[in-house]
Amino acid sequence: MADIGTSYFKAQRFGEAVRPLSEAVLANPGDDKLARRLAVAVQQAGFAGTGGGEAKPTPVETQGQAPQDPEDPLAVMSDIARRVDNERVSGRLIPPPEGFADFGYPSIDYANHPGYGADKGLLTGEEGDVIKPFYEAFAPIWNGYLSMKSRASSRPVSPAHAETFRTLERDGILGLRMTDAERAELLERTEPVAEEVRRRRAELEPGKRGVEASSGHLYHVKNKPTDFVDFLNRVFENHGILEMASAYQGVPMAVKLANLQINSVEDMSIVGNSLVGDLPLSPAYYMHIDSSIGVMKVIIYRSKVSAEQGAFRYVPGSNRIGVTPFELCVRKATDKSDYDSSKTKFRRRFVGLPPFLQKKANFGNDLQPGHPELEPLLERERVMTSDDGDMLLFDNNGIHRGAIFESGEREIIQVLLAP
Ligand SMILES: [Fe+2]
């Protein structure tokens, strides 16, 4: 079976490769190469929602993948939750050598939360099936996670970056500094886009400046390589950024997109989106983890940024919070399905989920004053000003938030790294 599966695999006939590879994997436990091939075949066959494929394997044949359109999605999720209940992972694809953090994501009792279960106005019972849309977000995330994880393995870091890398592994974030020449070139190369964003922002009332109006496109992987991305790769190479990111995730990482963003204290959209009903704004508002697995980010401060001027904030060590892989994917699914939005409609849906699915990526808004884990979390949070570095490389599965302003304006370039 292994030979037949491998032949189909090599011929890139992934749909036909899935069944023999599944049988071969079951017959050869511990054969990592076969397992990796199966994961790739399943993904390429379109089973994980990445395109049309002819194969529709059952869960047992695909090593725990979530089927595309099951009769009882809740039963599938309960089954996965039960199966991986003893596993612990962080948001990173390989286990942290430092061990897991001694704190977790704050647990929130939504049944008794004044913005959720205790808000009787929310419980109108008009939401219909809340499980199906949640499952549609969850299944590709879970399948993608299994596939990514099967591809990751430890990669070396050169001695020049070994110590810095240990800090990244421990804290989840690194502040690095460009040379004066690099900085001057960066400012020059990005000034036309910055100028355009400034012009667009000036045309709009502060309250109407959405993400679109405040950001400018610098690079996207789907477009042709540009001088700018060549420059970025050169700077990242000089500072070991891609090497460290690749070692961190256990897969080769590359620059996928870069955006320039300008925000100021007058832009109120983050605060507005963080309010939960009529409740006071949480001191932890907008604290979140991102929704992609296996990616990392770099924030480059284009302007000088102080603590008050929208500096990026990160909870060091929160990249090593250990949860079941199911919980990690559930947190991402609540974001992808909009269930973690604070808008009434989505809070109503969220209340309709069973407690084992009531976990958010964007959870900070729901931490009301008096929550026992609120103060410790705020104490751990570190404000990363431009004095800490003008390039911040971080694991975006650690707890973070940005653009928290008391005054002024900030210009940043956000770069996404992915396999
Ligand atoms: Fe984020």
Side-chain angles (χ1 to χ4, degrees):
M1 272 306 160
D3 290 349
I4 300 170
T6 300
S7 310
Y8 278 131
F9 182 89
K10 286 187 174 162
Q12 301 196 354
R13 290 163 67 177
F14 298 112
E16 291 149 286
V18 170
R19 183 178 289 271
L21 280 177
S22 302
E23 288 177 25
V25 165
L26 289 175
N28 299 285
D31 188 332
D32 289 344
K33 199 168 179 185
L34 272 178
R36 271 200 299 279
R37 278 195 177 143
L38 172 63
V40 172
V42 167
Q43 197 191 34
Q44 294 295 327
F47 189 64
T50 51
E54 61 276 64
K56 252 203 171 184
T58 58
V60 67
E61 284 176 324
T62 52
Q63 297 288 290
Q65 295 241 341
Q68 210 164 30
D69 192 16
E71 241 168 69
D72 187 351
L74 192 57
V76 173
M77 289 188 283
S78 313
D79 184 50
I80 294 174
R82 216 177 10 252
R83 241 180 319 116
V84 300
D85 194 39
N86 293 323
E87 282 179 42
R88 286 294 174 274
V89 296
S90 68
R92 186 181 173 185
L93 292 173
I94 48 179
E98 303 265 339
F100 292 113
D102 59 0
F103 59 99
Y105 299 115
S107 58
I108 300 175
D109 175 7
Y110 283 105
N112 296 305
H113 192 291
Y116 292 85
D119 180 354
K120 296 302 169 208
L122 272 186
L123 304 172
T124 62
E126 287 166 8
E127 276 315 307
D129 186 353
V130 295
I131 301 293
K132 192 166 182 280
F134 185 87
Y135 183 81
E136 280 165 5
F138 170 81
I141 292 170
W142 175 254
N143 294 341
Y145 169 78
L146 292 182
S147 153
M148 291 269 267
K149 201 161 168 67
S150 69
R151 270 185 284 165
S153 57
S154 57
R155 299 170 64 90
V157 173
S158 62
H161 302 299
E163 206 183 314
T164 319
F165 183 63
R166 274 196 293 277
T167 307
L168 178 66
E169 291 193 297
R170 187 192 65 210
D171 294 349
I173 187 162
L174 273 184
L176 300 161
R177 190 158 298 286
M178 280 183 275
T179 65
D180 290 346
E182 287 169 339
R183 188 159 183 86
E185 189 173 344
L186 177 96
L187 292 178
E188 194 189 316
R189 284 181 179 276
T190 54
E191 184 55 27
V193 173
E195 211 25 72
E196 188 198 311
V197 176
R198 282 185 212 116
R199 199 179 54 238
R200 256 185 283 140
R201 282 173 57 82
E203 284 168 6
L204 294 169
E205 306 255 315
K208 292 188 177 142
R209 290 174 196 150
V211 179
E212 197 109 317
S214 301
S215 51
H217 169 85
L218 289 167
Y219 172 70
H220 194 289
V221 69
K222 286 192 180 137
N223 302 338
K224 279 205 191 93
T226 56
D227 286 353
F228 178 70
V229 78
D230 290 345
F231 162 73
L232 213 51
N233 278 322
R234 192 158 26 96
V235 175
F236 285 4
E237 168 90 42
N238 292 344
H239 298 271
I241 287 179
L242 288 174
E243 183 190 326
M244 287 190 283
S246 303
Y248 189 90
Q249 289 295 6
V251 283
M253 303 279 275
V255 173
K256 298 287 165 168
L257 58 97
N259 277 316
L260 185 144
Q261 291 170 17
I262 304 181
N263 292 99
S264 79
V265 65
E266 295 173 301
D267 307 347
M268 292 300 287
S269 65
I270 287 181
V271 172
N273 290 333
S274 300
L275 287 166
V276 178
D278 300 329
L279 298 176
L281 183 68
S282 166
Y285 74 96
Y286 192 45
M287 271 193 172
H288 67 276
I289 59 170
D290 282 359
S291 277
S292 340
I293 291 169
V295 311
M296 296 189 85
K297 279 184 178 169
V298 183
I299 283 180
I300 304 177
Y301 284 142
R302 199 178 180 279
S303 59
K304 204 164 159 52
V305 178
S306 70
E308 297 76 32
Q309 278 171 307
F312 184 71
R313 299 170 185 219
Y314 195 93
V315 178
S318 61
N319 58 315
R320 292 183 284 112
I321 289 178
V323 291
T324 74
F326 176 76
E327 178 181 332
L328 183 70
C329 294
V330 161
R331 286 188 184 273
K332 284 155 199 305
T334 54
D335 178 40
K336 288 284 188 261
S337 58
D338 277 339
Y339 276 44
D340 68 357
S341 158
S342 293
K343 296 203 172 75
T344 308
K345 175 180 152 190
F346 293 110
R347 281 188 291 130
R348 184 173 292 147
R349 287 194 190 172
F350 189 78
V351 163
L353 292 173
F356 84 110
L357 300 178
Q358 286 179 328
K359 316 263 184 200
K360 295 187 177 189
N362 187 11
F363 57 82
N365 304 331
D366 299 335
L367 285 173
Q368 286 296 301
H371 189 290
E373 291 169 78
L374 175 61
E375 283 307 319
L377 194 59
L378 293 172
E379 274 164 31
R380 285 189 189 104
E381 183 179 44
R382 184 169 159 205
V383 182
M384 305 291 292
T385 70
S386 44
D387 288 339
D388 294 297
D390 47 14
M391 292 190 291
L392 308 175
L393 166 65
F394 63 98
D395 175 350
N396 52 344
N397 279 323
I399 300 170
H400 63 275
R401 54 178 167 169
I404 309 297
F405 280 95
E406 280 165 42
S407 64
E409 187 175 85
R410 74 153 205 199
E411 298 186 0
I412 64 163
I413 292 162
Q414 188 158 185
V415 185
L416 184 76
L417 310 177

